[in-house]
């Protein structure tokens, strides 16, 4: 499916890395790649279809050990902040601190270094981070999946004071936390799935901003499995999200929402144990249906396609990487041509260059970018596209399961070449506060910005 476009990257230096996030900064969309004991990298399109390294010194942090990274507007200023979860320990307490990078008129600063936050920085070891709008206010909290230590949930006050709200909101679990994914899983607000190792997973149901674990009730606890990547996907367009869960050297799962519960519908090949890391859901070939891509460590990467109501094994092509030391991966439209690129990060067992892939296609597309009332990307929003051929639903990413985060855009394929062409009828955006806005007859092959109902369109 994929062809190799790594030649478009600014260099092919080996990098030992884990997390990567696509965020909207002061200069537009950027890809942040965390370095583990080496410089972080900030990548940007250069206007020619390739990618440039635009890393400012303030973000490089050459001695940090970055695991999970995530972006969100935590201070409601309309620009996304960038959280980097550093850890030089496998579990328990680390010797270095996380970073919360905030853009100001003077450039990037680390909010944790402000005097008001002395002693508030995180030193608990962990893996993933997710952006959670638990109250639907457009102001995001940051949930950390710690390992051998209680989870944290950071919120930022108007005075830049960082406060751990984990106990108050009911998420201060002692975990072997690996992955986080957020969205309307069992309610119509922002719930959280926590994938754990050496213990049961958590499904945190959002009850007016407070969370209750209901994983066992829904059969998602899987206490004997070792979760890694997880993605929310709605392959049939019914508006109810399924969970694709990757496990380390255990069977992978696809939990389909049926009635009041979930049923594992994973095909046999997906259940074969492998060294799964990141799992991503996206319509890479613009045919109108999502694919699942699973990154692996020292094993071939995997691709699943949804056809005739079932998941089937696909060919990842150049992205198979049988000798790749895959850790993280993210998705974005790097060159603005309406086709998604897949960026794969490697590390842990050794340094390898970043890889960039895309699936060449002539299929048409539509991209929808919801924003909060403050003008920032509306992470956790749900976007539904209705066409003359049915419905598709996407979730604006608050964290792509394991270590990473994809672009804050709902990307829809419309077919026309390898699949019948779908004509857009309407786009509906539902924000985490439950408010809805509908756009009639959107044009294809455009990127549509949809503003929160509390604001006027500019």
């Amino acid at each position: 499916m994929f062809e190799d476009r790594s030649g478009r990257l600014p260099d092919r230096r080996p990098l030992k890395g884990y997390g990567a996030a696509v965020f909207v900064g002061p200069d537009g969309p950027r890809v942040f790649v965390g370095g583990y004991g080496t410089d972080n990298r900030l990548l940007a399109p250069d206007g020619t279809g390739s990618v440039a390294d635009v890393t400012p010194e303030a973000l490089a942090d050459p001695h940090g050990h970055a695991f999970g990274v995530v972006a969100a507007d935590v201070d409601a200023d309309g620009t996304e902040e960038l959280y980097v979860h550093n850890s030089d320990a496998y579990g328990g307490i680390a010797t270095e601190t996380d970073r919360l990078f905030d853009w100001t008129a003077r450039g990037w600063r680390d909010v944790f270094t402000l005097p008001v936050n002395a002693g508030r920085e995180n030193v608990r070891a962990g893996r993933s981070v997710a952006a959670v709008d638990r109250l639907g206010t457009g102001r995001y909290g940051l949930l950390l999946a710690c390992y051998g230590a209680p989870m944290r949930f950071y919120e930022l006050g108007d005075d830049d004071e960082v406060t751990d709200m984990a106990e108050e909101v009911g998420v201060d679990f002692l975990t072997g936390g690996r992955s986080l994914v957020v969205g309307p899983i069992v309610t119509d607000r922002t719930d959280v799935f926590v994938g754990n190792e050496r213990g049961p997973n958590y499904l945190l149901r959002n009850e007016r901003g407070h969370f209750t674990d209901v994983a066992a009730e829904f059969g998602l606890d899987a206490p004997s499995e070792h979760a890694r990547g997880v993605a929310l996907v709605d392959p049939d367009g019914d508006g109810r999200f399924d969970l694709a869960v990757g496990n380390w050297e255990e069977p992978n799962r696809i939990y389909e929402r049926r009635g009041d519960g979930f049923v594992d519908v994973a095909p046999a090949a997906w259940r074969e144990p492998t060294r799964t890391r990141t799992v991503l859901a996206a319509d890479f070939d613009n045919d109108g249906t999502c694919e699942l891509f699973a990154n692996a460590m020292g094993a071939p990467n995997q691709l699943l396609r949804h056809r005739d109501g079932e998941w089937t094994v696909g060919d990842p092509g150049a992205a198979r990487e049988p000798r790749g030391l895959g850790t993280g991966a993210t998705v974005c439209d790097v060159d603005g041509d309406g086709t998604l690129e897949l960026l794969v990060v490697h590390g842990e067992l050794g340094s390898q260059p970043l890889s960039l892939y895309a699936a060449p296609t002539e299929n048409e597309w539509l991209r929808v970018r919801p924003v909060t009332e403050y003008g920032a990307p509306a992470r956790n929003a749900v976007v539904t596209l209705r066409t003359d051929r049915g419905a598709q639903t996407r979730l604006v990413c608050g964290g792509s399961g394991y270590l990473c985060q994809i672009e804050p855009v709902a990307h829809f394929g419309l077919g026309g070449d390898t699949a019948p062409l779908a004509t857009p009828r309407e786009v509906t955006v539902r924000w985490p506060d439950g408010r809805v806005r509908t756009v009639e007859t959107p044009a294809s092959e455009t990127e549509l910005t949809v503003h929160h109902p509390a604001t006027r369109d500019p």
Side-chain angles (χ1 to χ4, degrees), residues 212-299:
T212 300
D213 179 26
V214 294
E217 176 182 336
F218 286 91
L220 298 177
D221 50 341
S224 64
E225 297 179 355
H226 306 301
R228 290 298 190 274
V230 59
L232 291 175
V233 60
D234 179 16
D236 51 13
D238 68 354
R240 307 179 83 191
F241 287 100
D242 307 335
L243 286 100
V245 180
N247 288 305
W248 179 260
E249 297 182 338
E250 298 278 352
N252 297 321
R253 310 291 183 185
I254 301 178
Y255 294 110
E256 181 182 283
R257 188 73 189 272
R258 291 186 184 176
D260 294 329
F262 292 86
V263 176
D264 184 10
V265 297
W270 181 256
R271 294 186 187 182
E272 284 295 317
T274 187
R275 296 181 170 185
T276 306
R277 303 304 285 256
T278 301
V279 176
L280 300 173
D283 187 357
F284 291 104
D285 59 0
N286 288 343
D287 68 348
T289 60
C290 271
E291 289 80 43
L292 288 173
F293 175 82
N295 198 10
M297 167 72 71

Side-chain angles (χ1 to χ4, degrees), residues 33-170:
V33 181
Y36 193 81
T38 187
D39 289 14
N40 302 321
R41 297 185 189 179
L42 191 65
L43 307 178
D46 67 357
T48 69
S50 294
V51 180
D53 188 333
V54 295
T55 311
E57 183 178 355
L59 295 184
D61 196 16
H63 303 297
H65 293 78
F67 272 109
V69 296
V70 76
D73 185 9
V74 298
D75 59 3
D77 68 349
T79 301
E80 294 198 300
E81 284 69 49
L82 186 65
Y83 193 99
V84 183
H85 188 16
N86 284 322
S87 180
D88 56 358
Y90 182 84
I93 304 300
T95 64
E96 62 182 276
T97 64
D98 293 355
R99 310 292 188 195
L100 177 53
F101 292 115
D102 175 39
W103 173 258
T104 72
R106 296 183 178 181
W108 292 99
R109 64 173 183 175
D110 179 5
V111 175
F112 280 122
T113 64
L114 300 178
V116 69
N117 292 318
R120 295 173 180 261
E121 62 273 13
N122 179 61
V123 291
R124 297 175 185 175
R127 299 298 182 271
S128 300
V129 193
V132 184
D133 185 358
R134 64 183 179 93
L135 295 171
T137 62
R139 189 166 190 154
Y140 292 84
L142 299 164
L143 179 62
L144 279 64
C146 298
Y147 197 100
M151 294 197 297
R152 286 193 184 276
F153 190 87
Y154 281 129
E155 292 184 345
L156 189 65
D158 291 334
D159 59 354
D160 291 323
E161 183 178 33
V162 179
T163 302
D164 182 9
M165 300 289 293
E167 183 177 357
E168 287 79 0
V169 304

